[in-house]
Amino acid sequence: MKKNIIAMNASIMIGLGSILATPSVYAESISDLEKQKESIQEKRSGVESNISDTEKKIDSLQDKQMTAEDQIAAIEAKIAESAKKIDAKNAEITQTKKEIEALKEEIKVLKERIAKRNEVLKERALSFQETGGDVNYLEVLFGSSSFGDLVDRVGAVATIAEADRDILKQHELDKKELEEKQKAVETKLASLEVAKAELLEIQKQQKQQKQEKDALVKKLKQQTEKHEHEKMGLEEEKANLAAQEKAIKSAISLEHQRLAELEAARKKAAAEAKKRAEQEAAQAAAQAASQASESKKQSTSSGYSAKSNSSSSSSPSPSASNVSQAPAVSSGTFTRPSAGYVSSTMGERWNKQHAGIDIAASGTVPVVAAADGVVSRSYFSSTYGNVVFVTHSISGQQWTTVYAHLSSRQVGEGAVVAKGQQVGIMGNTGHSFGQHLHFELHKGPWNYSKSNAVNPLNYINI
């Protein structure tokens, strides 16, 4: 296991002699890892602050939405109240129109009565015209045969004159009543129509206010959904940063362990070198003292060579991985993550930024780690499907690779993987249309906006 751990660090590929000669390289590697860890911690703090700000925005929008909904409820109550008032005015208008119809009948009777009076007055006027008016009354008086007849005639004349005055008076009263009734109902009807028009205008304004509040609530809901989506992305970014921090800590621990093993190997090599030097010095002293034969010297030298060859032949050699359809591991910084052809490149796609490349192939296609690293996340995402994130530290630079839409994942979070080691099987999970590998390369940590994404085709020969 320790040999596997050491092999998974890119820097272990340097020869042992070179390692012993340049121990400062590894101190720098740990220092770089510590800086990366601090950078991730700062980014996590920033993301947490952004999440807090987003939550405040969501709370504010929800408060505004509740206020707007309360205002809509109040406006709807006013609209309902206005509708009742309009219904009441309509009822009054209907009743007034009925009164007008009834008044028309009364007017008809009044008109007939006035017409009859007009005929009587016409006859009376004609009589006055023919007789000379008051002369007729004198003739009536002077034509009396006695004083008693005169008194009777005077009473009759007075009665007739009074009757004429009553007719004229009633005629004027009827005409005035007719005019007042007509004016009253017309004024009442006009007033009701004005009141109804005012209520309709108020109701129109209230409906307009409701439409505006409905539009505001819709806008607030859209903004809330947008910020909730951003919050989800930030929380995912926070989780990835936490996983990357954990991976960096694991890498630091492995680097300390590797350095400890290298130090132990250095001490062991130094002790063996000292021991060999002492043995050679002893042999040289023995040869000088005994002046042994040349064959004995050759035998001693031959024995030492055989021992060296035996020691060299016993060194373990790394076993080759032989996975069906797995791509050959290249000698560059990153190796091809899977077999297949590039079906989609990095760039604009479907009005969104496609932050990686798609590699498509049929059958059971292994997906391998593009470089040595630590698995920072291994989970199922609604968009990525089965996805594996691997954090790499290469020459002091942090990198992150993403392997998405896998049918299955074969590594868990915290696992140390070697370049070319299988991490999953190509699939069609998450937001995917057909079997393929969605591969992303980030120069730095992964974030929600994917601002660190670089084109893998610039770094990997596919």
Side-chain angles (χ1 to χ4, degrees):
M1 179 62 184
K2 291 181 179 178
K3 290 179 180 179
N4 291 336
I5 292 173
I6 296 174
M8 290 172 191
N9 289 274
S11 54
I12 199 64
M13 303 304 295
I14 306 173
L16 180 61
S18 175
I19 290 173
L20 295 175
T22 57
S24 62
V25 172
Y26 308 104
E28 290 176 2
S29 176
I30 291 177
S31 176
D32 290 337
L33 290 171
E34 290 287 356
K35 289 178 181 178
Q36 291 175 20
K37 184 181 75 171
E38 291 174 1
S39 175
I40 290 174
Q41 288 173 340
E42 289 177 2
K43 288 176 181 176
R44 276 187 65 190
S45 177
V47 169
E48 288 172 353
S49 177
N50 290 337
I51 290 174
S52 177
D53 291 342
T54 303
E55 287 175 343
K56 289 178 182 178
K57 289 178 182 177
I58 292 172
D59 291 340
S60 176
L61 287 169
Q62 288 176 341
D63 289 341
K64 290 180 181 178
Q65 184 178 326
M66 290 177 64
T67 301
E69 288 173 347
D70 290 341
Q71 290 172 346
I72 288 172
I75 291 171
E76 287 175 342
K78 289 180 180 179
I79 291 173
E81 184 180 352
S82 297
K84 288 181 181 179
K85 290 181 179 179
I86 290 169
D87 290 341
K89 290 299 178 185
N90 283 330
E92 287 185 52
I93 290 170
T94 301
Q95 181 61 34
T96 303
K97 287 180 177 179
K98 288 180 179 179
E99 291 175 2
I100 290 172
E101 291 300 321
L103 183 60
K104 284 180 179 179
E105 293 298 322
E106 293 180 17
I107 290 171
K108 183 179 179 182
V109 173
L110 284 172
K111 284 182 177 180
E112 290 175 355
R113 191 183 304 163
I114 290 169
K116 288 179 181 180
R117 290 197 190 104
N118 281 336
E119 289 298 323
V120 172
L121 292 173
K122 283 179 182 179
E123 291 176 1
R124 184 73 68 193
L126 181 61
S127 175
F128 286 166
Q129 187 177 10
E130 290 176 352
T131 60
D134 292 339
V135 176
N136 188 34
Y137 292 120
L138 292 173
E139 288 178 354
V140 171
L141 293 173
F142 289 141
S144 58
S145 58
S146 63
F147 182 75
D149 186 24
L150 176 62
V151 171
D152 290 337
R153 288 190 179 217
V154 170
V157 169
T159 300
I160 292 170
E162 184 68 28
D164 288 343
R165 284 195 296 271
D166 289 342
I167 289 171
L168 290 170
K169 185 178 181 181
Q170 188 62 45
H171 189 65
E172 292 297 328
L173 288 173
D174 287 344
K175 286 176 68 177
K176 185 177 180 181
E177 181 184 2
L178 175 61
E179 291 172 356
E180 289 176 350
K181 285 186 177 181
Q182 282 183 324
K183 185 177 180 180
V185 292
E186 288 171 357
T187 302
K188 182 178 180 181
L189 182 60
S191 176
L192 290 171
E193 292 291 354
V194 169
K196 178 183 175 182
E198 290 175 352
L199 287 171
L200 288 171
E201 181 62 27
I202 290 171
Q203 190 181 58
K204 179 182 177 182
Q205 293 175 0
Q206 290 169 342
K207 288 181 178 178
Q208 180 66 28
Q209 290 174 356
K210 183 179 181 297
Q211 289 177 353
E212 291 172 358
K213 293 299 179 183
D214 286 338
L216 176 60
V217 169
K218 183 179 179 181
K219 182 180 179 180
L220 290 170
K221 285 182 178 178
Q222 289 174 344
Q223 290 177 343
T224 300
E225 289 174 359
K226 177 186 175 182
H227 287 303
E228 285 177 344
H229 184 69
E230 289 176 356
K231 180 186 173 184
M232 289 175 63
L234 289 169
E235 286 176 342
E236 185 173 3
E237 183 176 350
K238 176 184 174 182
N240 275 295
L241 287 170
Q244 289 175 7
E245 182 182 352
K246 184 178 179 181
I248 292 293
K249 287 180 179 178
S250 176
I252 291 172
S253 177
L254 290 173
E255 187 69 7
H256 279 296
Q257 182 178 349
R258 187 182 66 80
L259 288 175
E261 290 173 351
L262 287 175
E263 180 63 16
R266 186 188 66 78
K267 290 180 178 179
K268 182 178 179 181
E272 289 177 351
K274 181 179 179 181
K275 183 177 179 181
R276 285 197 299 270
E278 290 175 350
Q279 289 176 347
E280 289 173 357
Q283 288 176 358
Q287 288 174 1
S290 61
Q291 296 181 350
S293 65
E294 186 65 25
S295 61
K296 183 178 179 181
K297 293 179 181 179
Q298 292 176 353
S299 175
T300 302
S301 175
S302 175
Y304 175 71
S305 298
K307 181 178 179 182
S308 299
N309 291 337
S310 174
S311 174
S312 176
S313 63
S314 65
S315 300
S317 58
S319 60
S321 174
N322 185 18
V323 181
S324 176
Q325 296 185 15
V329 179
S330 66
S331 59
T333 303
F334 298 100
T335 191
R336 183 189 182 108
S338 75
Y341 67 95
V342 177
S343 60
S344 182
T345 58
M346 183 175 178
E348 189 77 15
R349 189 178 74 174
W350 303 330
N351 296 323
K352 292 180 68 178
Q353 180 66 15
H354 188 233
I357 62 172
D358 292 343
I359 303 175
S362 59
T364 303
V365 185
V367 175
V368 302
D372 297 344
V374 179
V375 177
S376 53
R377 292 207 76 187
S378 177
Y379 71 114
F380 184 86
S381 163
S382 59
T383 52
Y384 280 138
N386 280 312
V387 61
V388 172
F389 287 69
V390 179
T391 298
H392 314 273
S393 179
I394 302 172
S395 301
Q397 173 65 51
Q398 181 187 348
W399 297 80
T400 306
T401 51
V402 180
Y403 313 80
H405 306 315
L406 304 175
S407 64
S408 63
R409 293 171 279 119
Q410 297 181 350
V411 289
E413 293 182 5
V416 180
V417 294
K419 183 179 181 181
Q421 179 181 334
Q422 187 169 340
V423 296
I425 301 292
M426 185 185 291
N428 186 27
T429 58
H431 190 63
S432 170
F433 304 96
Q435 178 172 298
H436 70 284
L437 167 68
H438 175 74
F439 176 74
E440 294 178 11
L441 179 62
H442 299 261
K443 192 172 183 179
W446 181 96
N447 56 48
Y448 175 65
S449 62
K450 300 184 181 179
S451 59
N452 292 331
V454 295
N455 192 346
L457 297 179
N458 294 337
Y459 297 84
I460 304 174
N461 185 19
I462 298 181

